[in-house]
Amino acid sequence: MDAIRIYGGKRLSGQTTIQGSKNASLPILAATLLISGTCEIENCPDISDVYHMQRLLTSLGCKVEREGALVRVNTESLSECDMPSDSVGVMRSSIMLLGALLARTGYVCMENPGGCVIGARPIDLHLRMLRKMGVVIEETGTGFCAEAARLKGTVLQMPFVSVGVTENLILAAVLAQGETVIEPAAREPEIQALCEFLTGAGARIEGSGTDRLVIHGVEKLNPVRYRIPADRIVAGTYLCACMCTGGRVFLRDAPVHHMESVLETAALMGAAIEYDPEGIMVTGREHESTCHSITTGCYPAFPTDMQSPFMVVMAMSGHDGRIEETVFENRFRIVPELRKMGAGITVQGSTAYIDGNSRLHGAIVQAEELRGGAALVVAALAAEGTCIVTNRHYIDRGYEDIVLSLRDLGADIELA
């Protein structure tokens, strides 16, 4: 049952609670390796990527327990051993373990990480920056081994902004000798969450939320309890579903202060958004769209992870539009599948041109990556007839139970 069947055409209504952030929980789970003792992570999403990270931590000798949304990680028995290749191979965030393990044990051997096929996302920059911190790295055909007696702080001038590299260098630097400067550092909320977690454990980090991080290495970190913030991409996905169906939905715990560009774009595209201390109320198709162009970028610009769901919204907006993708070169893999459903979309280089008067209909479509898969579900909710979205496992990487959440909002949806 690796598929989802959706009977389209129903308006969504009601409320759903937004889960903890996937993109914050993974590096924070990796960060527990830096701390001898037990850390408690609250609001940790029950998704397959987190499951794989838990497996990786267990394979390293950690004791990992889950009680509902609380995950406890005890690293006192951390040992050097092989990580399961099936978990490393399907999850790019496993690269986060590199900086943390080098800081804690001084030695790492691992296969090249996997993940969604949305772009090259090479690990070369991770390795190049770590070499500047004194790491000796030997690359093989399928992976690499890295070693350092103790990491040394230095100035790390990045050739471009990278969320993953910024996170990895933070993990490497907090226990390094001396001062480390990272610039330009990524500013995403998930990086701010990682810095909050580490600061709570005793790390000395300056500049969180800016493009220049200064990290003063400390001798040790202490166990900490931390609550993962809500997932801004999941909230945005359900916002798009509401817009496409013309529904009215309350998104409880939606992280409004992390969603400014998304909410501004949604309002320009016709949604009415009411703010509440506990979340946001979204009413779709309240007025005519005045947004005809979206360009993705690094935070606080419009997030690349929201590009696919908004492509669906734009196809039903009543006005032609364009989306320029500046982050990942393969983010348009969803386009052939949307065409099967009747969407008029053409791609030229890094820009997609969308017919805003598309009429979507039922079809069998295939998810090829996480966010595109969720966007196909959004499209199916608004389509006429029945859609089947295959390769559900991609969607499960980031959504706790998208079927149950949408069913609670009135969608006619089931596992297939």
Side-chain angles (χ1 to χ4, degrees):
M1 298 178 65
D2 191 29
I4 301 173
R5 181 181 289 109
I6 305 103
Y7 305 92
K10 289 184 176 287
R11 289 174 179 248
L12 300 187
S13 64
Q15 68 173 331
T16 188
T17 300
I18 304 303
Q19 68 189 59
S21 167
K22 163 190 177 290
N23 290 339
S25 61
L26 295 174
I28 286 172
L29 285 170
T32 63
L33 290 170
L34 297 167
I35 304 167
S36 180
T38 300
C39 290
E40 295 183 323
I41 314 301
E42 298 177 332
N43 201 35
C44 194
D46 189 8
I47 56 178
S48 63
D49 265 15
V50 167
Y51 166 75
H52 285 297
M53 181 62 82
Q54 291 175 199
R55 284 194 68 215
L56 289 169
L57 293 174
T58 301
S59 74
L60 293 166
C62 302
K63 183 178 180 181
V64 183
E65 299 175 344
R66 176 183 277 274
E67 293 181 13
L70 175 67
V71 174
R72 294 187 182 90
V73 183
N74 184 306
T75 68
E76 289 177 346
S77 300
L78 178 65
S79 59
E80 296 180 24
C81 49
D82 293 333
M83 291 178 279
S85 59
D86 58 335
S87 287
V88 173
V90 301
M91 188 179 64
R92 182 160 293 271
S93 294
S94 57
I95 192 66
M96 293 300 103
L97 298 173
L98 177 57
L101 281 172
L102 282 170
R104 177 76 181 274
T105 69
Y107 182 79
V108 182
C109 269
M110 66 185 298
E111 292 189 12
N112 292 326
C116 283
V117 284
I118 56 174
R121 297 202 292 186
I123 64 170
D124 300 20
L125 187 57
H126 293 261
L127 304 184
R128 192 195 324 167
M129 293 294 111
L130 287 171
R131 283 188 171 108
K132 292 185 177 182
M133 299 181 73
V135 181
V136 177
I137 301 172
E138 182 179 348
E139 298 183 60
T140 67
T142 60
F144 55 88
C145 291
E147 186 172 7
R150 184 177 182 187
L151 295 163
K152 293 179 172 56
T154 187
V155 175
L156 299 170
Q157 193 70 40
M158 306 258 277
F160 54 86
V161 176
S162 168
V163 173
V165 176
T166 300
E167 290 169 338
N168 217 352
L169 296 179
I170 292 170
L171 294 173
V174 288
L175 294 180
Q177 185 176 19
E179 180 182 280
T180 301
V181 178
I182 306 170
E183 61 179 341
R187 301 166 54 191
E188 269 68 8
E190 295 79 22
I191 288 178
Q192 297 176 47
L194 176 62
C195 290
E196 287 176 4
F197 171 83
L198 291 168
T199 301
R204 296 176 58 201
I205 303 173
E206 300 172 6
S208 177
T210 75
D211 62 0
R212 186 176 189 269
L213 293 174
V214 180
I215 302 168
H216 305 274
V218 298
E219 291 297 323
K220 64 173 291 189
L221 298 175
N222 302 307
V224 66
R225 186 181 181 104
Y226 181 80
R227 182 175 178 82
I228 300 290
D231 196 308
R232 62 194 175 105
I233 306 303
V234 170
T237 301
Y238 295 147
L239 178 152
C240 288
C242 179
M243 292 176 67
C244 287
T245 64
R248 180 174 171 81
V249 169
F250 184 67
L251 303 177
R252 185 171 299 279
D253 294 341
V256 175
H257 53 298
H258 293 161
M259 299 177 63
E260 291 184 0
S261 63
V262 168
L263 295 176
E264 289 173 3
T265 302
L268 290 173
M269 294 185 75
I273 300 172
E274 304 166 50
Y275 297 91
D276 182 277
E278 297 184 350
I280 56 175
M281 177 68 77
V282 180
T283 306
R285 302 184 186 177
E286 278 292 280
H287 56 81
E288 186 174 341
S289 173
T290 59
C291 175
H292 310 312
S293 179
I294 294 174
T295 301
T296 66
C298 297
Y299 188 85
F302 190 90
T304 181
D305 280 351
M306 287 309 308
Q307 180 252 99
S308 295
F310 269 87
M311 183 179 288
V312 179
V313 176
M314 190 169 281
M316 306 183 68
S317 68
H319 296 276
D320 294 350
R322 60 187 290 276
I323 296 177
E324 182 181 3
E325 174 58 54
T326 70
V327 181
F328 293 127
E329 67 271 21
N330 274 346
R331 272 292 192 198
F332 293 143
R333 293 174 70 91
I334 189 179
V335 169
E337 304 306 299
L338 288 177
R339 284 177 180 156
K340 292 179 186 177
M341 299 176 67
I345 305 172
T346 58
V347 176
Q348 296 180 12
S350 61
T351 303
Y353 297 90
I354 298 109
D355 178 355
N357 293 295
S358 301
R359 294 195 60 174
L360 304 183
H361 55 73
I364 298 175
V365 292
Q366 178 173 291
E368 296 191 31
E369 43 91 9
L370 167 58
R371 304 306 176 185
L376 289 174
V377 173
V378 170
L381 292 170
E384 297 177 4
T386 303
C387 287
I388 295 178
V389 179
T390 64
N391 284 349
R392 177 174 58 90
H393 61 274
Y394 281 116
I395 301 171
D396 290 344
R397 290 187 54 225
Y399 295 80
E400 282 193 332
D401 192 337
I402 196 170
V403 171
L404 179 61
S405 296
L406 291 172
R407 188 183 294 153
D408 287 346
L409 294 176
D412 196 348
I413 183 171
E414 62 189 11
L415 298 178

